[in-house]
Amino acid sequence: MKSRTYYEILGVSRDASIEEITIAKNALAKVYHPDANAHKDIDTTAFMQEILEAYQTLSDPEKRKGYDDVQLFGNPEPVERVFKTFKLEPEEKTAESVSFVTYWNAYSSLNEILEKSLQLMNREEKKKSMPKRLLGKLGRAEHENTYRNRQIAKMAREAVQYITLLKMAEIPMEFWNDEAMNWVLVRWGQKPGNDYIALFNRYRVQVEQMKSASEKKKLHSKNRQFHHDLKKLLSYALEG
């Protein structure tokens, strides 16, 4: 029997920096805070406690080292646990499994990259529409253009990595949105090890049965805009 590690709970790698660990904790807390789910009749207190427990250990260098020693080298000394741990599962089913939190974090990072890149691309498009005399010295304008294009290209490369991860996880692009990913994350957290693809299918059924025609149209429009902006980022970088 094997329980999930603190790294799996937060969906970060073993060499993650404190900043990455903090970002993961803050993002998950927004989804799993009990107050955010009270109206859904879902109790996420247990998983929220696990998130805090993992963060308290991994954000402290000394506690993290002691935890890693136990995890990596099998130190028999027990590690004091404050909160409830993940449910245990047969080792053969979890040894090679990947936490859904990893995919959720990939989507969140992709969405953040997209938002930042859109700001840069909009600035670039706005600049191109202005007369050169308003841009100041030509040399300076070209320098700013080159720097901005490098930033966008870098973001595009990072986006490709997250896109690849989500596609390898076989998560359909129709679910690459906050509502779908958060819905599955909450229910996956209630029983880690659940088939997240099955949960996405349950989400699709709920949308069809519970949402009005206008709500479905709005959700479809948001998804279409997300995919349009994503293509814009990738094509812009290629053109640059």
Side-chain angles (χ1 to χ4, degrees):
M1 303 290 283
K2 179 182 178 181
S3 62
R4 293 181 181 272
T5 69
Y6 288 150
Y7 296 98
E8 291 172 324
I9 292 174
L10 296 181
V12 298
S13 63
R14 285 189 175 275
D15 59 353
S17 65
I18 293 181
E19 180 182 7
E20 292 173 325
I21 290 171
T22 301
I23 291 174
K25 184 267 293 183
N26 290 341
L28 288 171
K30 290 180 181 179
V31 178
Y32 275 103
H33 195 287
D35 292 345
N37 295 281
H39 66 289
K40 303 175 185 176
D41 294 325
I42 299 175
D43 186 4
T44 57
T45 302
F47 198 26
M48 187 66 216
Q49 289 176 335
E50 291 165 357
I51 292 168
L52 293 175
E53 176 186 356
Y55 175 72
Q56 288 178 352
T57 295
L58 299 186
S59 63
D60 183 302
E62 292 187 6
K63 291 181 180 179
R64 183 177 181 178
K65 183 180 183 304
Y67 178 76
D68 286 346
D69 287 343
V70 173
Q71 289 293 315
L72 297 177
F73 305 113
N75 190 325
E77 293 184 12
V79 178
E80 181 180 357
R81 302 300 294 270
V82 179
F83 301 109
K84 176 182 175 293
T85 60
F86 273 92
K87 294 180 181 179
L88 298 178
E89 299 176 350
E91 184 172 357
E92 59 271 17
K93 291 185 179 181
T94 61
E96 300 300 328
S97 65
V98 179
S99 169
F100 176 72
V101 179
T102 298
Y103 304 131
W104 183 86
N105 278 336
Y107 161 74
S108 297
S109 298
L110 176 62
N111 196 37
E112 182 179 355
I113 288 173
L114 188 57
E115 291 179 356
K116 291 180 179 179
S117 65
L118 284 174
Q119 295 178 2
L120 293 177
M121 288 187 287
N122 289 337
R123 291 177 191 172
E124 182 61 20
E125 292 176 357
K126 186 175 182 180
K127 182 181 74 67
K128 289 180 179 179
S129 66
M130 296 174 61
K132 288 185 178 180
R133 60 186 177 81
L134 298 179
L135 295 177
K137 296 181 179 180
L138 181 60
R140 178 179 179 182
E142 290 179 344
H143 175 73
E144 292 178 350
N145 178 60
T146 301
Y147 176 70
R148 189 176 292 123
N149 283 337
R150 285 201 302 266
Q151 286 184 301
I152 296 174
K154 180 181 178 181
M155 290 180 178
R157 290 193 296 270
E158 293 175 351
V160 168
Q161 295 177 354
Y162 295 123
I163 291 172
T164 301
L165 181 59
L166 291 170
K167 285 186 172 294
M168 289 180 65
E170 299 182 349
I171 299 176
M173 291 186 70
E174 66 178 287
F175 299 131
W176 294 12
N177 60 73
D178 290 347
E179 180 176 308
M181 296 297 287
N182 290 347
W183 192 94
V184 171
L185 179 66
V186 170
R187 285 151 185 82
W188 180 89
Q190 291 179 311
K191 188 178 180 182
N194 265 345
D195 182 351
Y196 57 83
I197 297 299
L199 290 175
F200 277 117
N201 290 331
R202 281 177 52 193
Y203 168 78
R204 180 190 284 119
V205 172
Q206 175 175 289
V207 169
E208 289 300 319
Q209 295 179 346
M210 306 298 293
K211 290 188 178 296
S212 65
S214 60
E215 289 175 328
K216 293 177 185 177
K217 184 177 180 180
K218 184 177 181 181
L219 183 60
H220 177 71
S221 178
K222 289 179 63 177
N223 287 344
R224 185 170 56 186
Q225 185 63 49
F226 176 84
H227 298 148
H228 170 77
D229 293 341
L230 196 57
K231 290 180 180 179
K232 180 180 178 181
L233 168 59
L234 300 180
S235 62
Y236 188 100
L238 290 175
E239 292 173 1

